[in-house]
Amino acid sequence: MTNTVHEPSEQALIQLLTPEGERRSHAEYDSYIQDIDAEMLRGFYRDMALTRRFDQEATALQRQGQLALWVPLRGQEAAQIGSGRATRPNDYIFPTYREHGVALTRNVDFPQMLRIFRGISNGGWDPRENNFHMYTMVLAAQMPHATGYAMGVQRDQAGWDAERLEKDGTAVVAYFGDGSSTEGEVHESMVFAASFNSPVVFFCQNNQWAISVPFHVQSKVPLAERAAGYGFPGIRVDGNDVLAVLAVTRWALERARRGEGPVLIEAVTYRMSAHTTADDPTKYRMSADEEAWLERDPLLRLEKHLKDNQLADEVFFKQVAVDGDEMATRVREEALAFPDPSLAQSFANVYAEAHPLIQEELKWHLEYEAGFADTTEEGATR
Amino acid sequence: MSTTTMTLAKAITAGLDAVLANDPKSLLIGEDIGRLGGVYRVTDGLIDTYGADRVIDSPLGEAGIIGTSIGMAIRGYSPIAEIQFDGFVFPAFNQITTQLAKMRARSEGRFGAPVVIRIPYGGGIGSIEHHSESPEALFAHTAGLRIMAPSNAHDAYWMIQQAAACQDPVIFFEPKRRYWLKGEVDTENPAADAFKAQVIRPGEDATIVTYGPLVPVALAAAEAAREDGRSVEVIDLRSVSPIDFDTITESVEKTGRLIVTHEAPTFGGIGGEIAARVAERAFLSLEAPVIRVGGFHMPYPVAKVEEQYLPDIDKVLEALDRSFAY
Ligand SMILES: Cc1ncc(C[n+]2csc(CCOP(=O)(O)OP(=O)(O)O)c2C)c(N)n1
Ligand SMILES: [Mg+2]
């Protein structure tokens, strides 16, 4: 079973850019990307390239012992940039732990994201600043939060007319993985969202793997087909095609904002790297599997499209590379300069209101630590 | 002073009514809580006053109820969720312990999820499996949560409002076999701070600490002990997490003897935590070891034998005898 090659399937997959970078027209979805001009396409390329460069730098930092762990996203840039760029600032995003590309589209500062992986914070950034929630490490636990958030949105927008909803309405995006799709909370969040017709888009990046377990162990049918069981649309999109992902996500978000309820998007993509820096894919997947997907690299696809259609010149690509290196340098410098956290601060964030046990234990902790002050000054080690 | 006689259940209803009336961001969610008013009718009638958007009949899924409550809280709402019975909170255990309890810590103090979870709990109602449990220690072990258990109508009326106002998540254990216990509720003068224990019967010779459904049992035991010439102090914890150790310590320093009783199994329970703390704080005042009177280490037994399982007056008196004999 571990030796099955996972051929990329093109069946019933929305695709607007072929793996060769050719634009395919689509009767339904072309209208959702009519505004996309050369400059915006270059912007998507830049987003994807910067994300990949960030991923590369973070991987290096982990290898050098500067991060406890890193979760690479190489291969999923189009799924993340396409969906992230489809959102509006007032939409609220619930990511998994791999959505570094989506984070870029939400203006989360890359170095901040490393605070989690450097053991400094379990949150990293202020979710309310960019409506990009914290990463959630417990698979699928964020899914009902997304539905609940959308239920809150519905209450805030009660009585709004169609025009206002279209203009100012908020939608919610819940990201999850193919492996996580099996978790019960995915089911419950979809039932609740369907029952209440909540404005939430369930966005699954089916990257074919849940650590070492291939997709067919999670599901016998394409995940998008499960939506029918909940009574809302499910759609399968080529997750390595930034245009198709953008179009499909825009469609879903607009629908949700209009009050037409949830959508399940299955973005078919591939995790080109290891699951995390602690993983060894050679133990469970064949290089033939990886090579088959190399030809579908989302970044190369957009690059071919830009080049073949003279939408970007060498100067542009060079500049993106230079900008990427500069960003990487800044990421490294800032990450290494983060001040260490204090355990005392951890005491402060357990409860909002005064708590006698916290106070008692903090007091003890501080007194205990203070007891070492003299000895450390004398150069003694603990 | 305007007091009204109410059952404990109706006092919670009235408290919820006050929350919904005063805080437009508050809402209720749970299984059968709207049209039906909940299986114990605690939310009876509230849907008529506040509508289905604020008294939400949810689909049947506890992880979904708590998970969506967390999401609504992130959006700025203050949900009060009902879990239908104690034994059915476990499908939501993940959401409560990994998500609800940690939201404030994970956001580095930027925001939490001030959700209240109401759970009818405890035995003595002759019910079938999973309807009589006392899982409070499982939650007390989790930092980030607060736990309350009222024992009387007045406290219930005020404590549910204090729970709703609290910026931290609160699990609100309702002693279901006392739902019909009547009491005077003073709707103008609030009960004491919900996180403070209360000495509800003063005494000199021994202390009984308890909470929730066993408070009347402890009071009756103290009364019976009086006939034997023993003056027993009874403390109603009210808050199971945090625990007001100051009030307990003060009492034990006076009486020198402590019995802790709860329906939950003795092993790994709240009683053990109290015994350890008292040993740390008032060791030299103790005339006898702290004695725990709790459930046995077994799944909650079938209804026909639950009376033998549950702490009752005689078991508490037996514990007092052991303490005095020491
Ligand atoms: C509830 C839970 N179980 C197990 C894990 C350990 N784990 C982390 S990632 C992962 C695989 C997830 O696969 P998928 O949902 O497809 O997402 P991907 O990692 O491919 O992005 C597992 C098993 C976890 N984090 N949470
Ligand atoms: Mg996966």
Side-chain angles (χ1 to χ4, degrees), chain A residues 76 97-98 176-180 204-211 213 271 275:
Chain A
Q76 297 177 219
Y97 42 75
R98 206 186 289 281
F176 66 114
D178 49 292
S180 307
C204 178
Q205 288 169 82
N206 182 346
N207 64 6
Q208 313 304 322
W209 293 93
I211 309 187
V213 180
R271 196 197 75 212
H275 170 67

Side-chain angles (χ1 to χ4, degrees), chain B residues 189-226:
Chain B
N189 297 295
D193 177 348
F195 298 107
K196 289 266 175 280
Q198 275 188 324
V199 176
I200 51 173
R201 178 188 170 108
E204 302 297 327
D205 306 332
T207 305
I208 306 174
V209 168
T210 190
Y211 51 91
L214 292 189
V215 168
V217 170
L219 285 172
E223 183 59 25
R226 191 179 63 93

